[in-house]
Amino acid sequence: MRDRRLIVEPRPRLLTRRTALLGAGSALLASACDSARPHAGFLGAMERVNARLQAALFDETRLAPELPPEETTPPGAFPQYFISDTVPLAPPGWTLKVGGSVARPMRLTLAELQRLPSTQYRIRHHCVEGWSAVASWHGVRLRDLAEYVGADLAAAYVELRSFDSGYWSSWDRPSAFHPQTLLAYGMNGQPLPPEHGAPLRLYSAVKLGYKMVKYLTEVNFLSQPTSGYWEERGYEWYAGV
Amino acid sequence: MLSCHAVRAAPLRRPQPWPIRVAHWVNVPLLIIMAGSGLQILAAYPMLGPQGRPYAGYPFQGVIPPEWARLGDWLAGARQWHFAFGGFLALNGLLYLLYLAFSGEWRRRLFFPRRDARNAASTLAFYLRLRREPPSQELYNGLQRLAYTGALLLGILAVLSGVTLYKPVQLGALTSVLGGYDAARAIHLLTLALLGLFTLGHVLMVLLHPRSLVEMVTGGRKPDAR
């Protein structure tokens, strides 16, 4: 059931025949456009331009369409993904640590999270690889949690950490506070299964899958941007859809 | 008044004015980069259709594109190449369209069914050796106008389906027009395939008529300068 190929690992960089054929002019191009270091050089500069463009295009009132039940991806066909060798299981006494620039830093149990206002929707998931899948998700809006802990609105970034081998990511605030960005504890009307991030994962209509951290342990509201597991390996940071 | 109009209607132009040549040659590296990085992106998930459902119409389900055709080494690298240069391809296309519109070049380059259909059919008959003489033509015959207009429309469709895949939620209206995210992905791949076929035919015709290559480099002579 496990699909390890979900996000392809970088291959070792070689001086390929194609690179050689491109000749002298390619030396400049290769240093400015290095597939192994896509955050650097011209590719990185264009990523920053495109991130600004994407942020300008982002509208926090624009919702992804809610889909009818018959569009739900068949059981078992929604890919599962984690970094660890086996399905990560929550440590005993799991709580969600909420910190950073907040008035009331706290550790929340699942029961406490479930007492906060709940939201549910069925929307399409967009993976960086190009596939899409549909499920319904329920949980608490990240925006509602921020209000509950008294997050400082000057904190323009949100960082999410996980117990899945230290997987993590970070978001811009407008996307994190989008009404369809949830800390989900349920999927398709059931409690969130371990393969999809139990007990708590991020789910959102406005980012690619690798931004939606599963197996959450920490949410931090920060004034500075940080990176992420796949972002450090070369994937785009903004990754909006 | 009439004569004045006639003189203005037929400006003496080189066969290939410089803005046309610049846009044409700028397209070459950009299309190679977009095709190569696009195929590398496809290699990460070489299927069409949503997860868990068949996609009957696509004959290459699961087939990974050959390595020589791919650019970007891995998914993240290819995506960065694709998004770094995609905007330049769209911008080049936009400048080309603006030039066509304001220079009047659209009259001698674009296909208009009422004017060009008969000539296109006759030219096709000539190429198929069903007709001995080629029909008369100005800069382009009807078949060329059909091919170049088709390639232009394909380019526009490639850009529109591409931005749909980039922003399926923020550009939700466009995504719906194209039939949804998975349909847009199929359309995007189809435009690549058809543009590839066009390029093959294009290069073949250049080999048969090398003068057209010279004109696309130098611009050629004005009609009165013989």
Side-chain angles (χ1 to χ4, degrees):
Chain A
M1 219 34 259
R2 174 90 195 285
D3 188 351
R4 281 209 65 96
R5 207 184 47 77
L6 266 182
I7 298 185
V8 189
E9 291 277 358
R11 295 191 305 120
R13 192 160 55 90
L14 298 169
L15 187 67
T16 61
R17 185 170 42 124
R18 186 171 47 232
T19 313
L21 279 175
L22 282 171
S26 71
L28 187 66
L29 193 69
S31 62
C33 300
D34 183 344
S35 309
R37 294 184 303 118
H39 294 312
F42 180 72
L43 296 183
M46 286 310 294
E47 183 194 336
R48 291 184 285 280
V49 169
N50 282 333
R52 241 174 266 151
L53 198 73
Q54 293 185 68
L57 194 63
F58 179 81
D59 178 352
E60 56 194 319
T61 64
R62 193 177 292 128
L63 302 180
E66 302 223 10
L67 301 171
E70 56 269 23
E71 290 227 26
T72 306
T73 299
F78 201 120
Q80 305 157 5
Y81 173 72
F82 34 84
I83 300 294
S84 309
D85 291 332
T86 55
V87 179
L89 294 175
W94 173 93
T95 53
L96 179 73
K97 186 179 167 217
V98 187
S101 310
V102 297
R104 298 173 290 279
M106 52 179 87
R107 286 178 178 277
L108 291 158
T109 64
L110 194 58
E112 285 168 330
L113 281 162
Q114 285 168 340
R115 280 199 288 274
L116 295 174
S118 163
T119 302
Q120 174 161 359
Y121 55 61
R122 185 182 292 100
I123 52 171
R124 188 171 296 280
H125 177 103
H126 297 99
C127 178
V128 65
E129 290 184 340
W131 54 260
S132 74
V134 178
S136 79
W137 305 90
H138 57 279
V140 52
R141 283 187 180 125
L142 190 50
R143 189 164 70 178
D144 292 341
L145 178 77
E147 224 163 81
Y148 184 65
V149 299
D152 177 7
L153 282 184
Y157 300 92
V158 184
E159 182 185 88
L160 302 121
R161 294 188 172 271
S162 129
F163 58 80
D164 176 15
S165 301
Y167 192 94
W168 66 297
S169 191
S170 55
W171 288 45
D172 58 293
R173 190 185 55 211
S175 305
F177 285 9
H178 185 268
Q180 289 173 316
T181 299
L182 310 182
L183 299 177
Y185 43 71
M187 176 187 186
N188 289 332
Q190 303 289 320
L192 192 63
E195 298 78 20
H196 288 284
L200 190 69
R201 67 168 296 174
L202 190 65
Y203 202 86
S204 178
V206 296
K207 294 282 192 201
L208 292 175
Y210 67 87
K211 300 297 287 185
M212 305 180 205
V213 180
K214 301 173 176 179
Y215 311 103
L216 282 171
T217 52
E218 266 184 55
V219 176
N220 295 311
F221 296 90
L222 304 175
S223 54
Q224 294 294 320
T226 54
S227 181
Y229 180 88
W230 280 115
E231 294 84 338
E232 281 178 350
R233 286 158 180 77
Y235 280 84
E236 179 199 11
W237 179 79
Y238 192 89
V241 294
Chain B
M1 287 307 284
L2 259 178
S3 64
C4 179
H5 178 81
V7 167
R8 279 169 56 190
L12 294 173
R13 284 180 172 278
R14 288 159 165 260
Q16 305 296 353
W18 69 265
I20 300 267
R21 281 178 280 148
V22 169
H24 174 269
W25 290 114
V26 163
N27 265 336
V28 175
L30 287 178
L31 282 173
I32 290 171
I33 289 171
M34 295 311 283
S37 55
L39 288 173
Q40 182 71 59
I41 293 170
L42 178 68
Y45 182 67
M47 318 274 274
L48 291 185
Q51 278 284 353
R53 290 177 205 272
Y55 205 81
Y58 180 56
F60 303 110
Q61 197 78 320
V63 177
I64 295 175
E67 186 164 4
W68 58 261
R70 286 187 265 143
L71 172 72
D73 286 346
W74 63 304
L75 178 57
R79 282 174 59 88
Q80 296 283 62
W81 275 94
H82 212 66
F83 302 145
F85 290 95
F88 293 109
L89 185 72
L91 188 66
N92 191 41
L94 187 65
L95 291 176
Y96 177 79
L97 283 175
L98 287 174
Y99 176 76
L100 276 195
F102 288 106
S103 67
E105 283 288 328
W106 55 273
R107 282 190 209 92
R108 58 176 190 165
R109 289 172 192 275
L110 295 185
F111 179 82
F112 295 95
R114 197 169 285 196
R115 182 189 68 185
D116 298 321
R118 184 186 295 267
N119 185 289
S122 308
T123 308
L124 184 65
F126 169 70
Y127 279 129
L128 295 175
R129 296 176 185 274
L130 299 172
R131 185 189 149 117
R132 203 166 291 170
E133 293 295 316
S136 67
Q137 68 171 70
E138 300 157 50
L139 176 65
Y140 290 144
N141 62 48
L143 201 56
Q144 282 173 302
R145 283 181 179 147
L146 182 63
Y148 298 147
T149 304
L152 186 61
L153 293 176
L154 277 176
I156 292 170
L157 190 58
V159 170
L160 289 180
S161 56
V163 297
T164 281
L165 297 176
Y166 193 46
K167 294 279 140 200
V169 174
Q170 303 306 328
L171 302 177
L174 185 58
T175 311
S176 308
V177 168
L178 292 178
Y181 179 79
D182 291 301
R185 207 162 163 262
I187 290 171
H188 199 55
L189 187 58
L190 184 67
T191 59
L192 170 66
L194 293 177
L195 280 171
L197 278 178
F198 166 81
T199 305
L200 276 180
H202 189 59
V203 170
L204 182 70
M205 294 311 281
V206 167
L207 292 176
L208 293 174
H209 305 280
R211 198 177 63 114
S212 60
L213 179 64
V214 175
E215 283 181 354
M216 197 41 95
V217 174
T218 65
R221 291 178 169 197
K222 285 186 182 179
D224 66 338
R226 287 178 189 169

mmCIF file of all heavy atoms in Angstrom, chain A residues 14-44:
data_model
loop_
_atom_site.group_PDB
_atom_site.id
_atom_site.type_symbol
_atom_site.label_atom_id
_atom_site.label_comp_id
_atom_site.label_asym_id
_atom_site.label_seq_id
_atom_site.Cartn_x
_atom_site.Cartn_y
_atom_site.Cartn_z
ATOM 1 N N LEU A 14 25.372 14.709 -12.487
ATOM 2 C CA LEU A 14 26.460 14.251 -13.335
ATOM 3 C C LEU A 14 26.641 15.246 -14.459
ATOM 4 O O LEU A 14 25.720 15.974 -14.817
ATOM 5 C CB LEU A 14 26.125 12.890 -13.949
ATOM 6 C CG LEU A 14 25.930 11.748 -12.965
ATOM 7 C CD1 LEU A 14 25.359 10.546 -13.674
ATOM 8 C CD2 LEU A 14 27.233 11.395 -12.298
ATOM 9 N N LEU A 15 27.823 15.286 -15.009
ATOM 10 C CA LEU A 15 28.025 16.062 -16.221
ATOM 11 C C LEU A 15 27.493 15.211 -17.362
ATOM 12 O O LEU A 15 28.146 14.286 -17.825
ATOM 13 C CB LEU A 15 29.504 16.384 -16.425
ATOM 14 C CG LEU A 15 29.782 17.340 -17.582
ATOM 15 C CD1 LEU A 15 29.230 18.724 -17.285
ATOM 16 C CD2 LEU A 15 31.258 17.408 -17.877
ATOM 17 N N THR A 16 26.266 15.480 -17.778
ATOM 18 C CA THR A 16 25.633 14.621 -18.766
ATOM 19 C C THR A 16 26.092 15.000 -20.164
ATOM 20 O O THR A 16 26.651 16.072 -20.380
ATOM 21 C CB THR A 16 24.116 14.758 -18.699
ATOM 22 O OG1 THR A 16 23.798 16.125 -18.979
ATOM 23 C CG2 THR A 16 23.595 14.377 -17.342
ATOM 24 N N ARG A 17 25.804 14.105 -21.100
ATOM 25 C CA ARG A 17 26.145 14.352 -22.498
ATOM 26 C C ARG A 17 25.462 15.628 -22.979
ATOM 27 O O ARG A 17 26.023 16.436 -23.698
ATOM 28 C CB ARG A 17 25.703 13.158 -23.335
ATOM 29 C CG ARG A 17 26.096 13.220 -24.788
ATOM 30 C CD ARG A 17 25.810 11.895 -25.411
ATOM 31 N NE ARG A 17 24.524 11.403 -24.925
ATOM 32 C CZ ARG A 17 23.528 11.061 -25.739
ATOM 33 N NH1 ARG A 17 23.684 11.133 -27.017
ATOM 34 N NH2 ARG A 17 22.398 10.621 -25.248
ATOM 35 N N ARG A 18 24.211 15.786 -22.521
ATOM 36 C CA ARG A 18 23.448 16.956 -22.955
ATOM 37 C C ARG A 18 24.141 18.239 -22.504
ATOM 38 O O ARG A 18 24.275 19.186 -23.253
ATOM 39 C CB ARG A 18 22.037 16.876 -22.388
ATOM 40 C CG ARG A 18 21.110 17.958 -22.870
ATOM 41 C CD ARG A 18 19.691 17.673 -22.440
ATOM 42 N NE ARG A 18 19.602 17.304 -21.039
ATOM 43 C CZ ARG A 18 18.997 16.228 -20.594
ATOM 44 N NH1 ARG A 18 18.402 15.418 -21.418
ATOM 45 N NH2 ARG A 18 18.972 15.962 -19.313
ATOM 46 N N THR A 19 24.635 18.222 -21.263
ATOM 47 C CA THR A 19 25.324 19.393 -20.733
ATOM 48 C C THR A 19 26.552 19.698 -21.580
ATOM 49 O O THR A 19 26.825 20.849 -21.933
ATOM 50 C CB THR A 19 25.743 19.147 -19.279
ATOM 51 O OG1 THR A 19 24.639 18.609 -18.575
ATOM 52 C CG2 THR A 19 26.193 20.425 -18.616
ATOM 53 N N ALA A 20 27.302 18.620 -21.920
ATOM 54 C CA ALA A 20 28.509 18.810 -22.711
ATOM 55 C C ALA A 20 28.181 19.382 -24.082
ATOM 56 O O ALA A 20 28.856 20.296 -24.574
ATOM 57 C CB ALA A 20 29.248 17.485 -22.844
ATOM 58 N N LEU A 21 27.108 18.888 -24.685
ATOM 59 C CA LEU A 21 26.728 19.322 -26.031
ATOM 60 C C LEU A 21 26.353 20.801 -26.057
ATOM 61 O O LEU A 21 26.529 21.465 -27.063
ATOM 62 C CB LEU A 21 25.534 18.493 -26.527
ATOM 63 C CG LEU A 21 25.877 17.130 -27.088
ATOM 64 C CD1 LEU A 21 24.601 16.357 -27.418
ATOM 65 C CD2 LEU A 21 26.742 17.267 -28.338
ATOM 66 N N LEU A 22 25.868 21.293 -24.961
ATOM 67 C CA LEU A 22 25.443 22.688 -24.966
ATOM 68 C C LEU A 22 26.627 23.635 -25.085
ATOM 69 O O LEU A 22 26.453 24.812 -25.357
ATOM 70 C CB LEU A 22 24.618 23.004 -23.711
ATOM 71 C CG LEU A 22 23.180 22.507 -23.797
ATOM 72 C CD1 LEU A 22 22.486 22.653 -22.455
ATOM 73 C CD2 LEU A 22 22.405 23.250 -24.867
ATOM 74 N N GLY A 23 27.843 23.118 -24.821
ATOM 75 C CA GLY A 23 29.043 23.882 -25.110
ATOM 76 C C GLY A 23 29.339 24.989 -24.116
ATOM 77 O O GLY A 23 28.817 24.995 -23.009
ATOM 78 N N ALA A 24 30.153 25.916 -24.558
ATOM 79 C CA ALA A 24 30.691 26.932 -23.653
ATOM 80 C C ALA A 24 29.586 27.789 -23.038
ATOM 81 O O ALA A 24 29.625 28.103 -21.849
ATOM 82 C CB ALA A 24 31.680 27.806 -24.407
ATOM 83 N N GLY A 25 28.630 28.150 -23.842
ATOM 84 C CA GLY A 25 27.547 28.998 -23.344
ATOM 85 C C GLY A 25 26.818 28.377 -22.188
ATOM 86 O O GLY A 25 26.259 29.083 -21.339
ATOM 87 N N SER A 26 26.863 27.057 -22.128
ATOM 88 C CA SER A 26 26.116 26.374 -21.076
ATOM 89 C C SER A 26 26.770 26.539 -19.713
ATOM 90 O O SER A 26 26.124 26.336 -18.700
ATOM 91 C CB SER A 26 25.986 24.895 -21.411
ATOM 92 O OG SER A 26 27.239 24.273 -21.258
ATOM 93 N N ALA A 27 28.062 26.914 -19.684
ATOM 94 C CA ALA A 27 28.742 27.055 -18.391
ATOM 95 C C ALA A 27 28.019 28.100 -17.552
ATOM 96 O O ALA A 27 27.691 27.874 -16.387
ATOM 97 C CB ALA A 27 30.197 27.436 -18.606
ATOM 98 N N LEU A 28 27.733 29.223 -18.182
ATOM 99 C CA LEU A 28 27.009 30.294 -17.503
ATOM 100 C C LEU A 28 25.618 29.817 -17.119
ATOM 101 O O LEU A 28 25.177 29.966 -15.982
ATOM 102 C CB LEU A 28 26.925 31.500 -18.434
ATOM 103 C CG LEU A 28 26.334 32.769 -17.832
ATOM 104 C CD1 LEU A 28 27.262 33.303 -16.742
ATOM 105 C CD2 LEU A 28 26.135 33.815 -18.912
ATOM 106 N N LEU A 29 24.946 29.206 -18.098
ATOM 107 C CA LEU A 29 23.582 28.715 -17.886
ATOM 108 C C LEU A 29 23.559 27.687 -16.763
ATOM 109 O O LEU A 29 22.689 27.707 -15.895
ATOM 110 C CB LEU A 29 23.057 28.103 -19.186
ATOM 111 C CG LEU A 29 21.561 27.822 -19.240
ATOM 112 C CD1 LEU A 29 20.790 29.125 -19.272
ATOM 113 C CD2 LEU A 29 21.233 26.985 -20.465
ATOM 114 N N ALA A 30 24.575 26.787 -16.774
ATOM 115 C CA ALA A 30 24.594 25.700 -15.792
ATOM 116 C C ALA A 30 24.790 26.247 -14.387
ATOM 117 O O ALA A 30 24.195 25.743 -13.438
ATOM 118 C CB ALA A 30 25.688 24.705 -16.142
ATOM 119 N N SER A 31 25.614 27.286 -14.252
ATOM 120 C CA SER A 31 25.817 27.829 -12.912
ATOM 121 C C SER A 31 24.590 28.607 -12.454
ATOM 122 O O SER A 31 24.272 28.648 -11.281
ATOM 123 C CB SER A 31 27.058 28.706 -12.879
ATOM 124 O OG SER A 31 26.892 29.790 -13.759
ATOM 125 N N ALA A 32 23.897 29.224 -13.414
ATOM 126 C CA ALA A 32 22.714 30.009 -13.047
ATOM 127 C C ALA A 32 21.476 29.129 -12.938
ATOM 128 O O ALA A 32 20.528 29.470 -12.252
ATOM 129 C CB ALA A 32 22.478 31.118 -14.070
ATOM 130 N N CYS A 33 21.477 28.007 -13.636
ATOM 131 C CA CYS A 33 20.326 27.102 -13.651
ATOM 132 C C CYS A 33 20.795 25.708 -13.300
ATOM 133 O O CYS A 33 21.053 24.883 -14.168
ATOM 134 C CB CYS A 33 19.653 27.097 -15.024
ATOM 135 S SG CYS A 33 19.048 28.704 -15.527
ATOM 136 N N ASP A 34 20.956 25.440 -12.004
ATOM 137 C CA ASP A 34 21.490 24.168 -11.549
ATOM 138 C C ASP A 34 20.339 23.364 -10.940
ATOM 139 O O ASP A 34 19.810 23.718 -9.891
ATOM 140 C CB ASP A 34 22.588 24.438 -10.516
ATOM 141 C CG ASP A 34 23.263 23.160 -10.044
ATOM 142 O OD1 ASP A 34 22.690 22.079 -10.267
ATOM 143 O OD2 ASP A 34 24.347 23.257 -9.460
ATOM 144 N N SER A 35 19.978 22.278 -11.627
ATOM 145 C CA SER A 35 18.821 21.486 -11.178
ATOM 146 C C SER A 35 19.023 20.898 -9.790
ATOM 147 O O SER A 35 18.065 20.591 -9.090
ATOM 148 C CB SER A 35 18.560 20.352 -12.167
ATOM 149 O OG SER A 35 18.493 20.855 -13.470
ATOM 150 N N ALA A 36 20.300 20.711 -9.386
ATOM 151 C CA ALA A 36 20.553 20.129 -8.070
ATOM 152 C C ALA A 36 20.457 21.184 -6.971
ATOM 153 O O ALA A 36 20.279 20.851 -5.813
ATOM 154 C CB ALA A 36 21.933 19.471 -8.041
ATOM 155 N N ARG A 37 20.596 22.459 -7.343
ATOM 156 C CA ARG A 37 20.458 23.536 -6.354
ATOM 157 C C ARG A 37 19.466 24.573 -6.888
ATOM 158 O O ARG A 37 19.821 25.710 -7.198
ATOM 159 C CB ARG A 37 21.828 24.169 -6.069
ATOM 160 C CG ARG A 37 22.793 23.201 -5.387
ATOM 161 C CD ARG A 37 24.106 23.873 -5.013
ATOM 162 N NE ARG A 37 24.755 24.456 -6.182
ATOM 163 C CZ ARG A 37 25.013 25.763 -6.330
ATOM 164 N NH1 ARG A 37 24.661 26.619 -5.395
ATOM 165 N NH2 ARG A 37 25.613 26.186 -7.402
ATOM 166 N N PRO A 38 18.192 24.188 -6.993
ATOM 167 C CA PRO A 38 17.236 25.065 -7.682
ATOM 168 C C PRO A 38 16.877 26.337 -6.927
ATOM 169 O O PRO A 38 16.214 27.204 -7.482
ATOM 170 C CB PRO A 38 16.001 24.174 -7.888
ATOM 171 C CG PRO A 38 16.152 23.068 -6.923
ATOM 172 C CD PRO A 38 17.597 22.903 -6.610
ATOM 173 N N HIS A 39 17.320 26.488 -5.652
ATOM 174 C CA HIS A 39 17.038 27.755 -4.969
ATOM 175 C C HIS A 39 18.100 28.801 -5.277
ATOM 176 O O HIS A 39 17.980 29.948 -4.882
ATOM 177 C CB HIS A 39 16.983 27.554 -3.453
ATOM 178 C CG HIS A 39 15.839 26.702 -3.008
ATOM 179 N ND1 HIS A 39 14.551 26.903 -3.438
ATOM 180 C CD2 HIS A 39 15.787 25.649 -2.162
ATOM 181 C CE1 HIS A 39 13.760 26.004 -2.873
ATOM 182 N NE2 HIS A 39 14.478 25.221 -2.104
ATOM 183 N N ALA A 40 19.199 28.371 -5.951
ATOM 184 C CA ALA A 40 20.313 29.283 -6.210
ATOM 185 C C ALA A 40 20.239 29.824 -7.640
ATOM 186 O O ALA A 40 19.474 29.318 -8.459
ATOM 187 C CB ALA A 40 21.632 28.547 -5.999
ATOM 188 N N GLY A 41 21.031 30.838 -7.922
ATOM 189 C CA GLY A 41 21.182 31.338 -9.285
ATOM 190 C C GLY A 41 19.893 31.864 -9.884
ATOM 191 O O GLY A 41 19.012 32.366 -9.176
ATOM 192 N N PHE A 42 19.797 31.732 -11.198
ATOM 193 C CA PHE A 42 18.640 32.277 -11.914
ATOM 194 C C PHE A 42 17.349 31.561 -11.540
ATOM 195 O O PHE A 42 16.301 32.198 -11.375
ATOM 196 C CB PHE A 42 18.897 32.174 -13.423
ATOM 197 C CG PHE A 42 17.776 32.715 -14.250
ATOM 198 C CD1 PHE A 42 17.553 34.087 -14.326
ATOM 199 C CD2 PHE A 42 16.924 31.871 -14.952
ATOM 200 C CE1 PHE A 42 16.508 34.598 -15.075
ATOM 201 C CE2 PHE A 42 15.879 32.376 -15.708
ATOM 202 C CZ PHE A 42 15.670 33.742 -15.770
ATOM 203 N N LEU A 43 17.432 30.220 -11.382
ATOM 204 C CA LEU A 43 16.222 29.477 -11.001
ATOM 205 C C LEU A 43 15.690 29.978 -9.665
ATOM 206 O O LEU A 43 14.485 30.168 -9.489
ATOM 207 C CB LEU A 43 16.516 27.970 -10.916
ATOM 208 C CG LEU A 43 16.911 27.260 -12.208
ATOM 209 C CD1 LEU A 43 17.084 25.762 -11.945
ATOM 210 C CD2 LEU A 43 15.891 27.483 -13.302
ATOM 211 N N GLY A 44 16.601 30.215 -8.709
ATOM 212 C CA GLY A 44 16.185 30.697 -7.395
ATOM 213 C C GLY A 44 15.612 32.103 -7.477
ATOM 214 O O GLY A 44 14.604 32.412 -6.822
#
